Amino acid sequence: MIVFAIASVTSKKMLRSVIYLLFVLCGIAGIYFLIDYNFLAAIQLTVYAGGIIVLIIFSVVLVHHIEMELELAKRSKQILVALACLIGLGIFLTTIYAHPFNVVENSVTTTTKDIGYGLLSYETGGFILPFEVISVLLLASMIGAIIIAKGKKLTDKNDTTL
Amino acid sequence: MIAGISIYEILTVTSILFFIGIYGFITRKNLISILMSVELILNASVINFVVINKYLYPDMLQGVFFSIFIIAVAAAETALAVSIIINLYRQIASVEVKDTEIMKY
Amino acid sequence: MDVTYTILIPLIPLAVFLLLGIFSQKIKPAVSGIIGVAGLSTSALLSFYTAYQYFFVHGKVDGVYQAIVLKTTWMNFTDTLKIDMGVLIDPISVMMLIVVSTVSLMVHIYSRGYMKGDDGYTRFFAFLSLFSFSMFGLVLATNLFQIYIFWELVGVSSFLLIGYYYTKPSAVSAAKKAFIVTRFADLGFLIGILIIGFYTGTFDFETLNTVNHETGELALNWASTSFMGLSVITWALILMFMGGAGKSAMFPLHIWLPDAMEGPTPVSALIHAATMVVAGVYLVARLFPMFYFVEGGYALNVVAYVGAFSSLFAAIIALTQTDIKRVLAFSTMSQIGYMMLALGVSKYEGHDGLGYMASMFHLFTHAMFKALLFLGAGSVIHAVHSNYLKDMGGLRKYMPITNITFLIAALAIAGFPLTSGFFSKDEILVAAFEHNKLIYFSSVLVAGLTAFYMFRLYFGIFWGKDTQYKHAPHESPLSMTLPLMLLALVSLFGGFIPFSKYISADRVGFEAHLNYPLAAVAVSVGLIGIALAWAFYKKENNLADKFSNAFGVFYKWTYHKFYIDEVYLFVTKKIIFNLIAAPIARFDKKYVDGTMEGIGNKTVVISNKIKGLQSGRVQDYAFGFIAGVVVLAMVFIYLWTN
């Protein structure tokens, strides 16, 4: 997964970098499967691997960049950024490893039913409110995407009819 | 929990993914590549949530729910980002970062 | 005696200057002329009134004319360094008031006619008033600093007036030359003032000049430090005399005076004949006790020799000049040399102070007849539109008044019996004879030369060849001839004033008598000069040319004023400019300017580099963000764990 991620970020061809990202996402879904969060893995595959990758591929096609060679940043910049990232990584890892995690051994399988109940329950600990908010958010983003991507011509055309 | 793999290793993996995403975000010159790096970052953080939930608090499901929300939000944000890129492409006929530098000195 | 009204004497011309200067666009020329004349006549009336009050009404107290001082502290630095401003009334300052105001008034009246129709008419009168103010201030000064301030003001007025025709390059450079040469001389003056102030602790004239009558020496005491064999005070006096020599056009600082003739003729009459150039003489007279008593009068000797040499030098050059104003300029230099040498050979007590009295007397009479000569020359130039002798001749037929007045002035300067010049010059010769034979013989020679070149000038203009003029010259208008006539009267009868009763070195006054043998010598020398000039120039002939050819190269040298100007130009251009000024200028340009520009450049370079932070790229901002977070995290972890 890490190999694919690095390849995605440093690849010179656009399409290849998208495909590597797809592989990364599939790898992540695999992790979810291993953890027994089957519902989540399914969502991951559907939304991310299916929806978003397709979206990105469409946009790449739309801006005619599939065949193009992408240019990379200057060598100095790469090294500098890599260095900063490595330092950051070091900090993260030191923090993580210094912390004693109380790992609880179990093998509970979470069913979709449990997730459904949790998502829509009214009692305390329920997630109905965020659920509704997310749905509104998705609606808003859809409308927003349409408006932004519409452009001027369509507005002029639809002026008389609306 | 996955047999034989401790939490530290998974957290290490997700951290590496996170930083690869950051590296890509800063280094790439194509707007869409930047978008993909952002996806990487988001995904890394989602795994974090899920793994901690599974390993430390198996009876509660907050992590799962939260990761569902994160995925939804990421999807919405990607859609919007793509539409903005399309619009920008119409204006300046390019998706290179260096052509969006109007706000510089 | 209450003398507060004397403050008005300089202030009225100052007010006129400000009025004419500020409102020059709005006042009509004729009105400005009237304002100038009115202002100065008021000052003249006040001066005469002051003189009357001082000499006749108030008179002597205990047999001595008192010096009346009105002053106020203007700037107070320490106990010993104070600059006062005020008015000093004593015999010579009152006499100078009369001289300056009379001549200035005559020049004002004359200028109304001479400068008529000129564009800068109002400006001219404004500057004339400024000059009058400065000169009055100089004459009434109570201390060295005040006299220095007005000294410089007089220099500035002279500069403005010489460069009056500012579109003429020769006039502009002449003005610059005058100012620079006198300024250079004033450097010596200032150093002298500072030395005196430092060693004696005072600048005040009355304090410096007080003579202890019992011991017969200066009451002042100073630390007797010595510098190269002479007392520092002597050096200071010599340096101050250098300033006076510059202003009075003594050798070798005389180079500006001939060129100063570029200014309008009334200016030459006022400034360069009668008033400004005598400022140096006045300075020495003012400090006469110090000059006489310090180290046995060493500085006074310097004054005498410089004066004598200058008078001889100038008289020789004047023999050959062809521009009438330049002849008069060198004549002025020569006569001022007389005044200086008279001061130089003078002593202090009573009749021994004859030189002092003679010098002041000659200052008075010379101012009158030299102003008359210049104004007459101006009248001639106005009629003929040329300055040169070769364009003139036979003018007696056309300009009778100018002819007669010029003749009177020429007789006065030549020392013709019973004219004012005769009396004053005779006293000088007597003083010189009694004290220094060498100077006496040189002065007699100069007297003869003076008569000769003056009558060369007179005959050359009014007799000589019958020039055919394109436009028939006509007599000048009344505004110009009236001053001529008034000054002629003074030149004729001014000699009968019993000057010695009023003006003397110790302010006591004495009876002066005519020394008949020496007078006879002087008169005969003068008559010989006139006769020679008659023979050479009255009728047109080539005697003069044969004579000058006989002198050959000496004539050429004299004509070119002994090449002193060329020497100065060489020194300044080749030596000072090239060796001193140019390297300093280069250093300044390269290093000083370079440093400043370098700082500016470096700032631009640094800012260019910093500019990159505002790249407009979100990625770079994100990078900065991440880097900052990383650094902060490191810092906090370090702090938390320790």
Side-chain angles (χ1 to χ4, degrees):
Chain A
M1 214 160 50
I2 296 179
V3 170
F4 279 128
I6 295 180
S8 166
V9 166
T10 57
S11 159
K12 279 224 176 95
K13 293 229 173 104
M14 194 70 188
L15 191 59
R16 295 211 185 162
S17 122
V18 177
I19 299 300
Y20 292 141
L21 185 67
L22 175 67
F23 288 154
V24 170
L25 294 172
C26 293
I28 294 179
I31 293 186
Y32 291 160
F33 273 123
L34 281 174
I35 296 192
D36 285 331
Y37 281 144
N38 308 320
F39 180 64
L40 199 55
I43 292 182
Q44 170 84 0
L45 281 173
T46 332
V47 170
Y48 258 119
I52 290 185
I53 293 294
V54 168
L55 186 60
I56 292 181
I57 289 185
F58 268 128
S59 68
V60 166
V61 166
L62 208 56
V63 296
H64 306 291
H65 269 177
I66 285 208
E67 300 299 319
M68 238 170 71
E69 292 262 335
L70 292 172
E71 56 184 279
L72 290 174
K74 290 191 299 225
R75 194 45 82 173
S76 57
K77 195 164 178 198
Q78 282 180 330
I79 304 247
L80 191 63
V81 178
L83 207 62
C85 289
L86 282 172
I87 296 174
L89 187 62
I91 295 174
F92 264 47
L93 290 179
T94 44
T95 323
I96 293 173
Y97 278 96
H99 191 277
F101 285 105
N102 319 333
V103 179
V104 178
E105 289 271 351
N106 64 349
S107 51
V108 174
T109 312
T110 326
T111 58
T112 316
K113 185 165 160 226
D114 296 328
I115 293 178
Y117 270 133
L119 210 47
L120 296 170
S121 78
Y122 284 84
E123 293 96 40
T124 55
F127 282 88
I128 184 72
L129 183 58
F131 180 73
E132 296 299 331
V133 170
I134 288 286
S135 58
V136 171
L137 173 77
L138 283 172
L139 176 67
S141 73
M142 270 202 298
I143 298 177
I146 293 175
I147 302 259
I148 294 177
K150 202 163 64 166
K152 272 223 170 98
K153 283 196 191 147
L154 286 152
T155 337
D156 292 344
K157 259 201 217 158
N158 283 344
D159 234 5
T160 51
T161 52
L162 236 96
Chain B
M1 71 161 267
I2 308 175
I5 303 180
S6 76
I7 186 166
Y8 293 103
E9 288 149 15
I10 300 194
L11 288 183
T12 316
V13 168
T14 59
S15 304
I16 295 177
L17 274 180
F18 181 77
F19 276 102
I20 291 174
I22 290 185
Y23 173 80
F25 178 79
I26 298 179
T27 314
R28 294 295 253 174
K29 283 198 185 282
N30 199 327
L31 281 173
I32 302 183
S33 309
I34 296 176
L35 189 60
M36 296 194 312
S37 313
V38 171
E39 294 303 317
L40 262 180
I41 295 172
L42 281 169
N43 265 295
S45 57
V46 170
I47 304 183
N48 248 347
F49 273 109
V50 170
V51 156
I52 288 184
N53 180 22
K54 177 66 175 183
Y55 274 70
L56 299 180
Y57 306 101
D59 44 333
M60 293 190 265
L61 285 174
Q62 267 84 340
V64 176
F65 292 132
F66 207 69
S67 56
I68 294 179
F69 295 142
I70 292 182
I71 292 178
V73 167
E77 163 248 323
T78 306
L80 278 170
V82 167
S83 73
I84 291 178
I85 292 178
I86 301 288
N87 208 357
L88 193 64
Y89 179 74
R90 280 213 203 106
Q91 307 282 343
I92 57 176
S94 154
V95 286
E96 300 286 312
V97 166
K98 63 173 183 280
D99 295 324
T100 60
E101 280 179 357
I102 298 181
M103 294 271 279
K104 80 187 228 176
Y105 62 83
Chain C
M1 175 172 148
D2 179 28
V3 290
T4 42
Y5 61 86
T6 49
I7 297 193
L8 281 177
I9 298 180
L11 288 181
I12 293 180
L14 177 66
V16 170
F17 162 67
L18 289 171
L19 180 70
L20 289 179
I22 296 177
F23 296 108
S24 62
Q25 302 300 327
K26 301 202 187 104
I27 303 185
K28 278 207 300 245
V31 173
S32 62
I34 295 177
I35 294 178
V37 170
L40 214 48
S41 356
T42 323
S43 287
L45 281 168
L46 282 173
S47 312
F48 280 108
Y49 180 71
T50 314
Y52 170 70
Q53 285 279 351
Y54 186 75
F55 285 122
F56 297 109
V57 172
H58 198 240
K60 298 191 206 184
V61 174
D62 294 331
V64 180
Y65 282 110
Q66 295 292 80
I68 306 169
V69 178
L70 271 179
K71 64 179 179 187
T72 119
T73 308
W74 183 42
M75 290 206 269
N76 195 343
F77 297 112
T78 68
D79 278 335
T80 48
L81 186 59
K82 278 198 245 257
I83 301 184
D84 299 333
M85 278 283 160
V87 165
L88 169 63
I89 304 290
D90 86 341
I92 45 173
S93 67
V94 170
M95 178 206 83
M96 284 297 290
L97 276 180
I98 296 184
V99 167
V100 173
S101 52
T102 312
V103 175
S104 187
L105 180 60
M106 294 297 127
V107 165
H108 271 79
I109 300 178
Y110 184 88
S111 309
R112 287 192 60 229
Y114 188 83
M115 302 296 293
K116 199 170 187 163
D118 196 273
D119 276 334
Y121 194 81
T122 311
R123 181 164 59 101
F124 188 73
F125 276 95
F127 288 156
L128 277 183
S129 296
L130 176 67
F131 173 79
S132 307
F133 158 68
S134 318
M135 197 66 205
F136 283 131
L138 197 157
V139 159
L140 292 169
T142 53
N143 58 34
L144 280 170
F145 263 117
Q146 188 178 351
I147 206 174
Y148 186 73
I149 293 171
F150 284 104
W151 194 271
E152 296 301 325
L153 264 175
V154 167
V156 165
S157 317
S158 168
F159 167 82
L160 289 170
L161 281 165
I162 297 176
Y164 175 74
Y165 296 124
Y166 56 81
T167 48
K168 252 199 329 167
S170 56
V172 169
S173 54
K176 258 195 311 183
K177 187 173 181 178
F179 193 69
I180 292 177
V181 172
T182 48
R183 202 76 178 84
F184 172 67
D186 293 344
L187 176 67
F189 191 11
L190 185 61
I191 298 178
I193 293 179
L194 293 173
I195 294 178
I196 288 203
F198 183 71
Y199 281 101
T200 61
T202 176
F203 296 103
D204 190 54
F205 281 136
E206 282 307 297
T207 322
L208 287 170
N209 284 338
T210 319
V211 175
N212 193 328
H213 286 289
E214 280 92 59
T215 61
E217 288 198 349
L218 274 180
L220 191 67
N221 48 5
W222 62 88
S224 51
T225 331
S226 202
F227 181 71
M228 279 172 62
L230 291 172
S231 158
V232 270
I233 302 291
T234 314
W235 279 108
L237 289 172
I238 294 178
L239 282 169
M240 290 205 290
F241 175 62
M242 173 179 160
K247 200 64 122 209
S248 296
M250 294 285 102
F251 183 85
L253 294 163
H254 63 282
I255 47 174
W256 62 274
L257 191 58
D259 291 354
M261 298 296 122
E262 295 284 338
T265 314
V267 168
S268 307
L270 179 60
I271 301 187
H272 306 123
T275 44
M276 188 179 97
V277 290
V278 301
V281 179
Y282 181 70
L283 178 70
V284 177
R286 196 22 104 217
L287 287 170
F288 187 74
M290 285 196 82
F291 271 96
Y292 181 69
F293 285 111
V294 169
E295 215 168 317
Y298 192 90
L300 207 54
N301 263 336
V302 174
V303 172
Y305 283 109
V306 169
F309 181 76
S310 304
S311 64
L312 188 57
F313 182 79
I316 296 178
I317 296 182
L319 292 173
T320 57
Q321 297 298 310
T322 52
D323 181 341
I324 60 175
K325 282 179 75 173
R326 286 196 168 55
V327 173
L328 292 174
F330 282 106
S331 162
T332 305
M333 183 180 160
S334 175
Q335 298 300 309
I336 295 176
Y338 260 159
M339 295 178 218
M340 285 290 190
L341 78 88
L343 275 175
V345 299
S346 170
K347 294 213 195 328
Y348 189 69
E349 293 281 333
H351 195 271
D352 288 337
L354 183 63
Y356 184 95
M357 187 282 283
S359 171
M360 293 292 109
F361 194 19
H362 199 62
L363 198 157
F364 178 81
T365 56
H366 172 264
M368 302 297 163
F369 57 65
K370 192 45 80 59
L372 173 56
L373 280 171
F374 267 105
L375 294 181
S379 176
V380 165
I381 294 173
H382 192 73
V384 173
H385 299 294
S386 157
N387 282 14
Y388 291 97
L389 269 176
K390 59 179 171 30
D391 299 325
M392 305 175 189
L395 272 176
R396 69 187 182 285
K397 292 181 279 214
Y398 305 97
M399 309 177 74
I401 301 181
T402 314
N403 180 16
I404 300 292
T405 51
F406 203 90
L407 177 61
I408 292 175
L411 288 171
I413 200 174
F416 196 77
L418 296 183
T419 55
S420 58
F422 162 70
F423 286 106
S424 58
K425 194 182 286 205
D426 193 58
E427 302 290 345
I428 295 183
L429 291 173
V430 170
F433 181 78
E434 280 173 16
H435 299 295
N436 191 325
K437 295 290 187 296
L438 176 63
I439 292 185
Y440 171 71
F441 282 121
S442 142
S443 311
V444 169
L445 181 60
V446 172
L449 290 174
T450 308
F452 176 72
Y453 67 66
M454 205 39 92
F455 273 89
R456 165 178 174 258
L457 194 63
Y458 170 70
F459 287 129
I461 299 178
F462 293 101
W463 297 76
K465 58 184 197 295
D466 270 326
T467 320
Q468 294 304 324
Y469 293 102
K470 277 186 290 216
H471 312 279
H474 54 88
E475 183 60 85
S476 308
L478 184 66
S479 59
M480 287 167 67
T481 50
L482 180 66
L484 295 178
M485 294 190 281
L486 288 171
L487 286 171
L489 279 171
V490 180
S491 304
L492 270 179
F493 300 113
F496 294 104
I497 301 175
F499 223 73
S500 56
K501 284 230 293 254
Y502 304 113
I503 313 279
S504 61
D506 51 1
R507 295 193 193 130
V508 171
F510 56 90
E511 289 289 326
H513 301 285
L514 202 50
N515 187 326
Y516 287 103
L518 291 175
V521 169
V523 167
S524 43
V525 160
L527 285 174
I528 295 174
I530 298 179
L532 272 175
W534 186 297
F536 280 29
Y537 297 107
K538 183 151 190 280
K539 295 208 198 356
E540 199 174 351
N541 56 20
N542 57 357
L543 259 179
D545 290 329
K546 279 198 270 186
F547 208 70
S548 59
N549 283 339
F551 273 96
V553 86
F554 194 66
Y555 176 81
K556 194 152 154 283
W557 281 3
T558 317
Y559 184 71
H560 283 114
K561 306 174 220 134
F562 292 107
Y563 297 111
I564 301 279
D565 275 319
E566 280 76 6
V567 170
Y568 268 103
L569 267 179
F570 175 77
V571 169
T572 47
K573 277 222 175 109
K574 294 279 185 310
I575 299 183
I576 297 183
F577 281 5
N578 283 352
L579 294 182
I580 300 179
I584 294 182
R586 251 181 283 134
F587 176 79
D588 179 54
K589 208 177 211 172
K590 210 152 79 128
Y591 292 110
V592 178
D593 281 356
T595 316
M596 290 297 120
E597 273 178 43
I599 293 181
N601 275 346
K602 284 288 171 293
T603 316
V604 170
V605 164
I606 292 177
S607 84
N608 267 338
K609 296 244 170 71
I610 298 183
K611 249 190 329 189
L613 278 178
Q614 294 277 342
S615 63
R617 287 194 293 263
V618 180
Q619 291 176 306
D620 293 343
Y621 299 156
F623 173 65
F625 186 72
I626 299 286
V629 167
V630 162
V631 168
L632 275 174
M634 282 206 287
V635 167
F636 278 124
I637 290 176
Y638 178 73
L639 287 175
W640 276 333
T641 52
N642 289 13

